[in-house]
Amino acid sequence: MRTVAVLGGSAVGSVTALLLARTGWQVTLVDDEFDLFSTPSPQLRARPGAPHTVQAHGFMARTLHELTTRLPDVRQALLDAGAPLITFASMVPPHWVDGGRPGDEQLDCLRVRRLTLDRVLGEAVAGQSGIRRVDSRATGLLLDESGPVPTATGLGLEDGSSVTAGLVIDAGGRRSPISRWLADAGIVQPQRVDPCEVIYYTRHHRVVGDAPRLNAGFAQIHQFPSFISLLFLGDNDTGMLAMSTHGKDPLLKRLRHDAAFSAVMAAMPGFEEWAVALDPIGSVFCLGALDNRMRFLVRDGRPVVRGLHQVGDALCMTNPTRGRGLSMGLAAAGALCDLLGDESLDPDDLALAYDAWQQRVLAIYYRETAASDVTLDRQLRAGLAGQAIPRNAPGIELPEGHPVTSEDLDRAADADPDLLRATFRATMLLDDERVIASERVAARTRAVLDALPPSPGRPPPPTDGLHDRSVLEAVLAPYA
Ligand SMILES: Cc1cc2nc3c(=O)[nH]c(=O)nc-3n(C[C@H](O)[C@H](O)[C@H](O)COP(=O)(O)OP(=O)(O)OC[C@H]3O[C@@H](n4cnc5c(N)ncnc54)[C@H](O)[C@@H]3O)c2cc1C
């Protein structure tokens, strides 16, 4: 019997455990907060091990795609729990739907709060044979250091006992202790860090009456020099409004007060219809600032440790400005479980194959997201200093010397339903093969752009309402 110990039973750890148990693994899933999220009626409160789970979440199509293809019963359970789909057709204007195309259903997204997602996943785990849940804090990584490369053999637990297993998977999130435990054993894990000082304020709401149309397909987004606001809809007529600000902005720290949050919400131009449709549930949750980080367990073509793999935020953590975290986490869990199903791979081959997938697929999604986050940080910093706001980062990473740019793709996608789908697939993390960077897509982009009138260029930035810092100061003045 193949045995695995999974550290962390939140969304990505639960999915990993389910995938492995269903392919014959004996799984021990370790988390010390099952009682906070895997209960029939979880409370809307920040839990110490994963405070971000109360923050606004919108999920790229890849999240639903992973559930549809790998865990269809979980997808159904989410629908049954009141989490509807946002179809591709509802996200774009009718002329872009253009009669529909085979595969459009892959572009659908899920509308769900983390609270509901984690509960439904918890129920699936509880009902799954082959998974043993251990409600405990893991306090160390067991290592066999007798060979040339140390091998992970299990997890130590807070009561002094341990879980031994043939494989250890780290799904312990962005603050996973595994890197520290490896360092304590003299194993330095390579990593890439892209700093970002953005802070998030979220308040949950009930949506009353008919929901207005979302201005950005799966979300309602408004960008101002000092903050960006994102509304994601959740299950059971809920909506989560987030405001992202710069960590060094003293004025916007006032958003932590419920009344200040509501005042800014009510003053946002273009948000009027939504503001009257949202009834607050509970108070504002604040979180930040979080660096983007990608970790590796292979250095110079060799694993730094055997029998240990990472998934989810433990492997790759990005700021949520592009709503990609869970999609990347589930994609990694799926890729790892596929490789574990290939019994011809020895542990080193497996580590190298997973690292190759990480470099070929995940690293591109990571770099695109990190570029957006770092740019948002600079934009908010410029807004705070009253300087010109830098342009957005390219949405899609293209190779050096590619014949078209990410902006060209966006503009052509507005005029061509097939290019629209190609860019959608890339931004929704469904394009692991990078069709978007192919010569074929570049040629079509050129042809579409050649038939369009010249671009009018960027319109001047608005200066009215909350775009003017003094107006924002006046709105927030009562909450000093
Ligand atoms: C403000 C914010 C907004 C976000 N918005 C989005 C969004 O819109 N869309 C999106 O896709 N993603 C979003 N994300 C990212 C998303 O939340 C993460 O990618 C996702 O939660 C990662 O899941 P995970 O299972 O890897 O880790 P986590 O959810 O962090 O879970 C880690 C688990 O490990 C457990 N654990 C850790 N250490 C130990 C230990 N020593 N012993 C026992 N248990 C341990 C913790 O209790 C926890 O349950 C957002 C993140 C933030 C911060």
Side-chain angles (χ1 to χ4, degrees), residues 8 10 12 31 47 52 56-58 114 137-138 172 290 312-313 320 323 325-326:
S10 192
V12 180
D31 203 302
R47 56 186 176 99
H52 51 277
H57 276 64
R114 271 301 293 268
R137 167 147 287 269
L290 312 168
D313 278 13
L326 201 70

Side-chain angles (χ1 to χ4, degrees), residues 223-293:
Q223 184 151 12
F224 302 95
S226 302
F227 71 102
I228 178 167
S229 100
L230 300 116
L231 173 72
F232 295 122
L233 297 182
D235 53 279
N236 296 297
D237 297 323
T238 52
M240 296 148 284
L241 180 64
M243 297 192 199
S244 309
T245 72
H246 199 274
K248 292 211 163 52
D249 190 333
L251 175 69
L252 284 164
K253 292 218 163 53
R254 295 177 196 175
L255 287 173
R256 68 186 184 283
H257 303 302
D258 295 345
F261 191 95
S262 295
V264 172
M265 175 173 114
M268 284 197 297
F271 197 73
E272 297 81 3
E273 272 186 294
W274 275 107
V276 294
L278 296 176
D279 248 5
I281 308 171
S283 285
V284 175
F285 296 105
C286 171
L287 189 72
L290 312 168
D291 288 342
N292 292 354
R293 183 185 308 271

Side-chain angles (χ1 to χ4, degrees), residues 149-425:
V149 177
T151 300
T153 59
L155 296 168
L157 303 179
E158 60 190 339
D159 66 359
S161 67
S162 57
V163 173
T164 54
L167 188 72
V168 176
I169 295 182
D170 174 15
R174 69 194 151 87
R175 290 184 302 196
S176 163
I178 289 275
S179 268
R180 181 164 43 83
W181 294 339
L182 288 174
D184 290 347
I187 302 165
V188 179
Q189 180 174 28
Q191 62 173 337
R192 169 181 170 156
V193 179
D194 293 270
C196 184
E197 270 194 84
V198 175
I199 293 194
Y200 304 91
Y201 298 89
T202 284
R203 197 169 192 197
H204 289 237
H205 296 80
R206 178 101 21 231
V207 180
V208 286
D210 289 337
R213 193 178 169 87
L214 296 164
N215 71 353
F218 70 103
Q220 177 83 15
I221 303 177
H222 297 270
Q223 184 151 12
F224 302 95
S226 302
F227 71 102
I228 178 167
S229 100
L230 300 116
L231 173 72
F232 295 122
L233 297 182
D235 53 279
N236 296 297
D237 297 323
T238 52
M240 296 148 284
L241 180 64
M243 297 192 199
S244 309
T245 72
H246 199 274
K248 292 211 163 52
D249 190 333
L251 175 69
L252 284 164
K253 292 218 163 53
R254 295 177 196 175
L255 287 173
R256 68 186 184 283
H257 303 302
D258 295 345
F261 191 95
S262 295
V264 172
M265 175 173 114
M268 284 197 297
F271 197 73
E272 297 81 3
E273 272 186 294
W274 275 107
V276 294
L278 296 176
D279 248 5
I281 308 171
S283 285
V284 175
F285 296 105
C286 171
L287 189 72
L290 312 168
D291 288 342
N292 292 354
R293 183 185 308 271
M294 189 169 219
R295 300 187 173 110
F296 304 87
L297 284 168
V298 169
R299 183 198 292 282
D300 301 330
R302 292 209 198 113
V304 296
V305 57
R306 286 194 176 124
L308 173 68
H309 303 286
Q310 293 178 301
V311 288
D313 278 13
L315 177 70
C316 174
M317 148 74 203
T318 55
N319 269 270
T321 47
R322 289 189 69 176
R324 288 184 161 189
L326 201 70
S327 289
M328 290 200 277
L330 298 195
L336 177 60
C337 293
D338 288 346
L339 291 169
L340 287 167
D342 181 350
E343 294 188 14
S344 70
L345 295 175
D346 73 19
D348 284 3
D349 291 340
L350 178 81
L352 296 185
Y354 187 46
D355 181 68
W357 176 85
Q358 184 181 348
Q359 306 273 4
R360 182 177 63 80
V361 176
L362 198 67
I364 296 181
Y365 294 140
Y366 171 84
R367 288 194 299 267
E368 287 176 347
T369 315
S372 291
D373 291 335
V374 168
T375 303
L376 178 64
D377 183 309
R378 288 197 193 121
Q379 289 174 327
L380 295 175
R381 204 185 283 265
L384 183 55
Q387 296 164 350
I389 308 297
R391 298 177 78 111
N392 288 339
I396 293 172
E397 179 181 291
L398 295 165
E400 279 281 299
H402 196 66
V404 297
T405 65
S406 177
E407 278 188 350
D408 291 337
L409 278 170
D410 281 347
R411 198 162 157 255
D414 273 354
D416 182 282
D418 293 313
L419 286 176
L420 173 79
R421 284 167 172 81
T423 51
F424 234 78
R425 291 188 67 81

